[in-house]
Amino acid sequence: AQTVTQSQPEMSVQEAETVTLSCTYDTSESDYYLFWYKQPPSRQMILVIRQEAYKQQNATENRFSVNFQKAAKSFSLKISDSQLGDAAMYFCAYKSGTSYGKLTFGQGTILTVHP
Amino acid sequence: DAGVIQSPRHEVTEMGQEVTLRCKPISGHDYLFWYRQTMMRGLELLIYFNNNVPIDDSGMPEDRFSAKMPNASFSTLKIQPSEPRDSAVYFCASSPLTGGLGETQYFGPGTRLLVL
């Protein structure tokens, strides 16, 4: 079974600075997808960024980018120019590329942004 | 697009009562998922549907839980009888088929359930 580990329960960053959230996963599959979701206090799960394992190029969405290291099974999220609105719980998630079905989530990292 | 709609947003009930959570997926999406979020277990998939048919219900904790999808625009998750350990946030998510196996799941706002 696949597992996703987020080793940082909490992180903090100053507004306008950069922060990196870590995620590692364990799988025997070669075809899969990885996601970062943001959960603000409203509890809504919002997709931040998505990465296909077969793509070597790291995904980027505006201020959000990932560092995908397939051999190391690592998928970190970098937030540049942090804003107060980035404060939330961030979840890393894994999706098999061979079948439809569930997302396997990590435990989450609480990000605090200081003004 | 209105996004995934869930109701109610909050539910407080007493142990032993029946609870019904409702979900309207994004129009045109072929897959619907029910997740539960607790402090102890994090986010876990309960069941998912493809074209209104339940595909995998292995995450449903026990027979007290049941889910239906009578049509493409509506699904329910029912707990009968409810117990305090069912207290959690329940999310519904939907996803289209067009993007293939890696298609993004779009989540609703969740229902916070408290069983006293």
Side-chain angles (χ1 to χ4, degrees), chain A residues 53-98:
Chain A
Y54 61 85
K55 287 187 177 179
Q56 293 187 345
Q57 186 174 5
N58 290 324
T60 299
E61 288 288 341
N62 301 313
R63 298 182 296 106
F64 299 87
S65 61
V66 298
N67 183 6
F68 174 48
Q69 301 288 329
K70 191 171 184 179
K73 297 180 182 176
S74 170
F75 183 60
S76 61
L77 175 69
K78 185 172 82 171
I79 306 175
S80 303
D81 185 24
S82 296
Q83 301 176 359
L84 295 177
D86 295 333
M89 175 85 89
Y90 286 81
F91 290 94
C92 178
Y94 172 100
K95 168 70 178 63
S96 169
T98 59

Short mmCIF file of all heavy atoms in Angstrom, two decimals, chain A residues 53-98:
data_model
loop_
_atom_site.label_atom_id
_atom_site.label_comp_id
_atom_site.label_asym_id
_atom_site.label_seq_id
_atom_site.Cartn_x
_atom_site.Cartn_y
_atom_site.Cartn_z
N ALA A 53 3.93 11.82 -12.51
CA ALA A 53 5.22 11.18 -12.24
C ALA A 53 6.05 10.97 -13.49
O ALA A 53 7.28 10.93 -13.43
CB ALA A 53 5.01 9.84 -11.53
N TYR A 54 5.38 10.87 -14.64
CA TYR A 54 6.14 10.60 -15.87
C TYR A 54 6.78 11.87 -16.43
O TYR A 54 7.58 11.81 -17.36
CB TYR A 54 5.24 9.96 -16.92
CG TYR A 54 4.06 10.80 -17.36
CD1 TYR A 54 4.19 11.76 -18.35
CD2 TYR A 54 2.81 10.61 -16.79
CE1 TYR A 54 3.11 12.53 -18.76
CE2 TYR A 54 1.72 11.37 -17.18
CZ TYR A 54 1.87 12.33 -18.17
OH TYR A 54 0.80 13.08 -18.56
N LYS A 55 6.42 13.01 -15.86
CA LYS A 55 7.01 14.27 -16.32
C LYS A 55 8.21 14.63 -15.46
O LYS A 55 8.11 14.68 -14.23
CB LYS A 55 5.97 15.38 -16.25
CG LYS A 55 4.90 15.29 -17.32
CD LYS A 55 4.02 16.53 -17.29
CE LYS A 55 2.97 16.47 -18.40
NZ LYS A 55 2.08 17.66 -18.39
N GLN A 56 9.33 14.88 -16.08
CA GLN A 56 10.52 15.27 -15.34
C GLN A 56 10.46 16.73 -14.92
O GLN A 56 11.06 17.11 -13.91
CB GLN A 56 11.76 15.00 -16.17
CG GLN A 56 12.03 13.52 -16.42
CD GLN A 56 13.36 13.29 -17.10
OE1 GLN A 56 13.96 14.22 -17.62
NE2 GLN A 56 13.81 12.05 -17.12
N GLN A 57 9.75 17.53 -15.69
CA GLN A 57 9.68 18.95 -15.38
C GLN A 57 8.82 19.18 -14.14
O GLN A 57 7.71 18.65 -14.03
CB GLN A 57 9.11 19.72 -16.56
CG GLN A 57 9.12 21.22 -16.38
CD GLN A 57 8.67 21.94 -17.63
OE1 GLN A 57 8.27 21.32 -18.62
NE2 GLN A 57 8.77 23.26 -17.61
N ASN A 58 9.33 19.99 -13.24
CA ASN A 58 8.58 20.32 -12.02
C ASN A 58 7.41 21.24 -12.35
O ASN A 58 7.56 22.21 -13.09
CB ASN A 58 9.49 20.99 -11.00
CG ASN A 58 10.51 20.03 -10.42
OD1 ASN A 58 10.21 18.85 -10.21
ND2 ASN A 58 11.70 20.51 -10.16
N ALA A 59 6.25 20.95 -11.74
CA ALA A 59 5.07 21.77 -11.95
C ALA A 59 5.21 23.12 -11.24
O ALA A 59 5.84 23.22 -10.18
CB ALA A 59 3.83 21.04 -11.44
N THR A 60 4.61 24.12 -11.85
CA THR A 60 4.62 25.48 -11.29
C THR A 60 3.26 26.12 -11.50
O THR A 60 2.66 25.97 -12.57
CB THR A 60 5.69 26.35 -11.98
OG1 THR A 60 6.97 25.77 -11.78
CG2 THR A 60 5.70 27.75 -11.42
N GLU A 61 2.77 26.78 -10.46
CA GLU A 61 1.53 27.54 -10.53
C GLU A 61 1.74 28.86 -9.80
O GLU A 61 1.64 28.94 -8.59
CB GLU A 61 0.37 26.78 -9.87
CG GLU A 61 -0.13 25.59 -10.62
CD GLU A 61 -0.92 25.96 -11.87
OE1 GLU A 61 -1.38 27.11 -11.97
OE2 GLU A 61 -1.06 25.08 -12.74
N ASN A 62 2.08 29.88 -10.57
CA ASN A 62 2.31 31.21 -10.01
C ASN A 62 3.38 31.15 -8.92
O ASN A 62 4.52 30.80 -9.20
CB ASN A 62 0.99 31.80 -9.50
CG ASN A 62 -0.04 31.91 -10.58
OD1 ASN A 62 0.23 32.39 -11.67
ND2 ASN A 62 -1.26 31.45 -10.30
N ARG A 63 3.03 31.46 -7.68
CA ARG A 63 4.03 31.48 -6.60
C ARG A 63 4.34 30.09 -6.04
O ARG A 63 5.20 29.96 -5.16
CB ARG A 63 3.52 32.37 -5.48
CG ARG A 63 3.32 33.83 -5.87
CD ARG A 63 2.86 34.67 -4.70
NE ARG A 63 1.54 34.26 -4.18
CZ ARG A 63 1.36 33.61 -3.05
NH1 ARG A 63 2.38 33.28 -2.28
NH2 ARG A 63 0.14 33.30 -2.66
N PHE A 64 3.65 29.09 -6.52
CA PHE A 64 3.80 27.74 -5.99
C PHE A 64 4.56 26.88 -7.00
O PHE A 64 4.24 26.87 -8.19
CB PHE A 64 2.43 27.11 -5.73
CG PHE A 64 1.62 27.86 -4.70
CD1 PHE A 64 0.80 28.92 -5.07
CD2 PHE A 64 1.67 27.50 -3.37
CE1 PHE A 64 0.06 29.61 -4.12
CE2 PHE A 64 0.92 28.17 -2.41
CZ PHE A 64 0.12 29.23 -2.79
N SER A 65 5.54 26.15 -6.50
CA SER A 65 6.28 25.23 -7.37
C SER A 65 6.65 24.01 -6.55
O SER A 65 6.61 24.02 -5.30
CB SER A 65 7.53 25.90 -7.93
OG SER A 65 8.40 26.29 -6.89
N VAL A 66 6.95 22.93 -7.26
CA VAL A 66 7.33 21.71 -6.56
C VAL A 66 8.74 21.31 -6.97
O VAL A 66 9.25 21.70 -8.03
CB VAL A 66 6.35 20.55 -6.86
CG1 VAL A 66 4.96 20.89 -6.40
CG2 VAL A 66 6.37 20.17 -8.34
N ASN A 67 9.35 20.55 -6.08
CA ASN A 67 10.62 19.89 -6.38
C ASN A 67 10.35 18.40 -6.32
O ASN A 67 10.24 17.82 -5.23
CB ASN A 67 11.70 20.29 -5.38
CG ASN A 67 13.05 19.67 -5.73
OD1 ASN A 67 13.22 19.03 -6.77
ND2 ASN A 67 14.02 19.85 -4.85
N PHE A 68 10.18 17.80 -7.48
CA PHE A 68 9.82 16.39 -7.59
C PHE A 68 11.07 15.58 -7.86
O PHE A 68 11.73 15.74 -8.89
CB PHE A 68 8.80 16.21 -8.72
CG PHE A 68 8.46 14.78 -9.03
CD1 PHE A 68 8.14 13.90 -8.02
CD2 PHE A 68 8.46 14.33 -10.35
CE1 PHE A 68 7.80 12.58 -8.31
CE2 PHE A 68 8.13 13.01 -10.65
CZ PHE A 68 7.81 12.13 -9.62
N GLN A 69 11.41 14.73 -6.90
CA GLN A 69 12.58 13.87 -7.00
C GLN A 69 12.07 12.42 -7.00
O GLN A 69 11.85 11.82 -5.94
CB GLN A 69 13.53 14.09 -5.84
CG GLN A 69 14.05 15.51 -5.72
CD GLN A 69 15.04 15.86 -6.80
OE1 GLN A 69 15.76 14.99 -7.30
NE2 GLN A 69 15.05 17.13 -7.20
N LYS A 70 11.85 11.86 -8.21
CA LYS A 70 11.21 10.56 -8.31
C LYS A 70 12.04 9.45 -7.67
O LYS A 70 11.50 8.59 -6.98
CB LYS A 70 10.93 10.22 -9.78
CG LYS A 70 10.03 9.01 -9.96
CD LYS A 70 9.60 8.84 -11.39
CE LYS A 70 8.61 7.68 -11.52
NZ LYS A 70 8.15 7.51 -12.93
N ALA A 71 13.33 9.47 -7.88
CA ALA A 71 14.17 8.40 -7.32
C ALA A 71 14.16 8.43 -5.80
O ALA A 71 14.15 7.39 -5.15
CB ALA A 71 15.59 8.53 -7.84
N ALA A 72 14.13 9.61 -5.26
CA ALA A 72 14.11 9.77 -3.80
C ALA A 72 12.70 9.71 -3.24
O ALA A 72 12.52 9.71 -2.03
CB ALA A 72 14.77 11.09 -3.41
N LYS A 73 11.71 9.66 -4.12
CA LYS A 73 10.29 9.66 -3.71
C LYS A 73 10.01 10.84 -2.80
O LYS A 73 9.45 10.70 -1.70
CB LYS A 73 9.92 8.32 -3.06
CG LYS A 73 10.05 7.15 -4.03
CD LYS A 73 9.69 5.81 -3.40
CE LYS A 73 9.88 4.70 -4.43
NZ LYS A 73 9.65 3.35 -3.87
N SER A 74 10.38 11.99 -3.32
CA SER A 74 10.20 13.23 -2.58
C SER A 74 9.43 14.23 -3.44
O SER A 74 9.64 14.32 -4.65
CB SER A 74 11.57 13.79 -2.20
OG SER A 74 11.47 15.09 -1.70
N PHE A 75 8.56 15.00 -2.79
CA PHE A 75 7.68 15.92 -3.52
C PHE A 75 7.44 17.13 -2.64
O PHE A 75 6.44 17.25 -1.95
CB PHE A 75 6.36 15.20 -3.84
CG PHE A 75 5.38 16.01 -4.64
CD1 PHE A 75 5.70 16.48 -5.91
CD2 PHE A 75 4.11 16.26 -4.15
CE1 PHE A 75 4.78 17.20 -6.65
CE2 PHE A 75 3.19 16.99 -4.88
CZ PHE A 75 3.52 17.46 -6.13
N SER A 76 8.36 18.08 -2.63
CA SER A 76 8.24 19.24 -1.76
C SER A 76 7.55 20.39 -2.48
O SER A 76 7.62 20.52 -3.70
CB SER A 76 9.61 19.66 -1.24
OG SER A 76 10.45 20.01 -2.32
N LEU A 77 6.91 21.23 -1.69
CA LEU A 77 6.18 22.40 -2.20
C LEU A 77 6.91 23.65 -1.75
O LEU A 77 7.15 23.85 -0.57
CB LEU A 77 4.75 22.42 -1.66
CG LEU A 77 3.92 23.66 -2.00
CD1 LEU A 77 3.59 23.68 -3.49
CD2 LEU A 77 2.64 23.69 -1.17
N LYS A 78 7.23 24.51 -2.71
CA LYS A 78 7.85 25.80 -2.40
C LYS A 78 6.85 26.92 -2.65
O LYS A 78 6.26 26.99 -3.74
CB LYS A 78 9.10 26.03 -3.25
CG LYS A 78 9.85 27.30 -2.87
CD LYS A 78 11.20 27.42 -3.59
CE LYS A 78 11.06 27.95 -4.97
NZ LYS A 78 12.38 28.27 -5.58
N ILE A 79 6.68 27.74 -1.63
CA ILE A 79 5.81 28.90 -1.75
C ILE A 79 6.70 30.14 -1.72
O ILE A 79 7.40 30.39 -0.73
CB ILE A 79 4.78 28.96 -0.59
CG1 ILE A 79 4.00 27.64 -0.52
CG2 ILE A 79 3.83 30.14 -0.80
CD1 ILE A 79 3.05 27.56 0.67
N SER A 80 6.69 30.88 -2.78
CA SER A 80 7.50 32.10 -2.89
C SER A 80 6.65 33.31 -2.57
O SER A 80 5.42 33.30 -2.76
CB SER A 80 8.07 32.23 -4.30
OG SER A 80 8.83 31.10 -4.65
N ASP A 81 7.31 34.37 -2.09
CA ASP A 81 6.60 35.63 -1.79
C ASP A 81 5.34 35.33 -0.96
O ASP A 81 4.21 35.68 -1.34
CB ASP A 81 6.23 36.33 -3.10
CG ASP A 81 5.61 37.69 -2.89
OD1 ASP A 81 5.86 38.30 -1.82
OD2 ASP A 81 4.83 38.14 -3.76
N SER A 82 5.53 34.67 0.16
CA SER A 82 4.40 34.21 0.99
C SER A 82 3.47 35.36 1.34
O SER A 82 3.91 36.49 1.64
CB SER A 82 4.94 33.57 2.27
OG SER A 82 5.69 32.42 1.97
N GLN A 83 2.19 35.06 1.33
CA GLN A 83 1.15 36.04 1.67
C GLN A 83 0.35 35.54 2.86
O GLN A 83 0.30 34.34 3.13
CB GLN A 83 0.24 36.25 0.45
CG GLN A 83 0.98 36.76 -0.77
CD GLN A 83 0.11 36.87 -1.99
OE1 GLN A 83 -1.08 36.56 -1.97
NE2 GLN A 83 0.70 37.33 -3.09
N LEU A 84 -0.29 36.48 3.54
CA LEU A 84 -1.08 36.11 4.72
C LEU A 84 -2.14 35.08 4.37
O LEU A 84 -2.48 34.20 5.16
CB LEU A 84 -1.71 37.35 5.34
CG LEU A 84 -0.74 38.37 5.91
CD1 LEU A 84 -1.49 39.60 6.44
CD2 LEU A 84 0.12 37.77 7.02
N GLY A 85 -2.66 35.17 3.16
CA GLY A 85 -3.69 34.24 2.73
C GLY A 85 -3.18 32.82 2.46
O GLY A 85 -3.97 31.91 2.24
N ASP A 86 -1.87 32.65 2.52
CA ASP A 86 -1.31 31.30 2.33
C ASP A 86 -1.39 30.48 3.62
O ASP A 86 -1.15 29.27 3.60
CB ASP A 86 0.15 31.38 1.88
CG ASP A 86 0.31 32.02 0.51
OD1 ASP A 86 -0.63 31.93 -0.29
OD2 ASP A 86 1.39 32.60 0.26
N ALA A 87 -1.69 31.13 4.73
CA ALA A 87 -1.78 30.43 6.00
C ALA A 87 -2.89 29.38 5.94
O ALA A 87 -4.04 29.69 5.62
CB ALA A 87 -2.05 31.40 7.13
N ALA A 88 -2.53 28.14 6.19
CA ALA A 88 -3.48 27.03 6.06
C ALA A 88 -2.79 25.74 6.45
O ALA A 88 -1.59 25.71 6.74
CB ALA A 88 -3.98 26.91 4.61
N MET A 89 -3.56 24.65 6.43
CA MET A 89 -2.99 23.31 6.51
C MET A 89 -2.75 22.86 5.07
O MET A 89 -3.62 23.02 4.22
CB MET A 89 -3.96 22.37 7.20
CG MET A 89 -3.51 20.92 7.24
SD MET A 89 -2.42 20.57 8.61
CE MET A 89 -3.63 20.12 9.86
N TYR A 90 -1.58 22.30 4.82
CA TYR A 90 -1.25 21.81 3.48
C TYR A 90 -1.10 20.29 3.51
O TYR A 90 -0.38 19.74 4.36
CB TYR A 90 0.05 22.46 2.97
CG TYR A 90 -0.15 23.89 2.57
CD1 TYR A 90 -0.17 24.90 3.51
CD2 TYR A 90 -0.35 24.23 1.23
CE1 TYR A 90 -0.39 26.23 3.15
CE2 TYR A 90 -0.56 25.55 0.85
CZ TYR A 90 -0.58 26.54 1.82
OH TYR A 90 -0.79 27.84 1.45
N PHE A 91 -1.76 19.65 2.57
CA PHE A 91 -1.72 18.20 2.47
C PHE A 91 -1.08 17.77 1.16
O PHE A 91 -1.43 18.27 0.09
CB PHE A 91 -3.14 17.61 2.52
CG PHE A 91 -3.81 17.72 3.86
CD1 PHE A 91 -4.65 18.79 4.14
CD2 PHE A 91 -3.61 16.75 4.83
CE1 PHE A 91 -5.28 18.89 5.37
CE2 PHE A 91 -4.23 16.85 6.06
CZ PHE A 91 -5.06 17.92 6.34
N CYS A 92 -0.18 16.83 1.28
CA CYS A 92 0.39 16.16 0.12
C CYS A 92 -0.45 14.91 -0.14
O CYS A 92 -0.90 14.25 0.82
CB CYS A 92 1.84 15.79 0.45
SG CYS A 92 2.74 14.90 -0.82
N ALA A 93 -0.70 14.58 -1.40
CA ALA A 93 -1.55 13.42 -1.70
C ALA A 93 -1.00 12.66 -2.89
O ALA A 93 -0.42 13.24 -3.82
CB ALA A 93 -2.99 13.87 -1.96
N TYR A 94 -1.25 11.36 -2.87
CA TYR A 94 -0.78 10.43 -3.91
C TYR A 94 -1.99 9.78 -4.56
O TYR A 94 -2.96 9.43 -3.89
CB TYR A 94 0.08 9.35 -3.24
CG TYR A 94 0.48 8.21 -4.14
CD1 TYR A 94 1.75 8.17 -4.70
CD2 TYR A 94 -0.38 7.14 -4.40
CE1 TYR A 94 2.14 7.12 -5.52
CE2 TYR A 94 -0.01 6.09 -5.22
CZ TYR A 94 1.26 6.08 -5.77
OH TYR A 94 1.63 5.05 -6.59
N LYS A 95 -1.88 9.61 -5.88
CA LYS A 95 -2.95 8.94 -6.63
C LYS A 95 -2.30 7.93 -7.57
O LYS A 95 -1.42 8.29 -8.36
CB LYS A 95 -3.76 9.97 -7.40
CG LYS A 95 -4.71 9.42 -8.43
CD LYS A 95 -5.87 8.71 -7.81
CE LYS A 95 -6.85 8.21 -8.89
NZ LYS A 95 -6.25 7.23 -9.79
N SER A 96 -2.74 6.70 -7.52
CA SER A 96 -2.22 5.67 -8.41
C SER A 96 -2.52 6.02 -9.87
O SER A 96 -3.58 6.59 -10.17
CB SER A 96 -2.85 4.33 -8.07
OG SER A 96 -2.56 3.37 -9.07
N GLY A 97 -1.61 5.68 -10.75
CA GLY A 97 -1.81 5.91 -12.17
C GLY A 97 -2.34 4.69 -12.90
O GLY A 97 -2.43 4.69 -14.13
N THR A 98 -2.66 3.65 -12.14
CA THR A 98 -3.12 2.42 -12.79
C THR A 98 -4.58 2.11 -12.50
O THR A 98 -5.12 1.16 -13.05
CB THR A 98 -2.27 1.22 -12.35
OG1 THR A 98 -2.35 1.10 -10.92
CG2 THR A 98 -0.82 1.42 -12.74
#
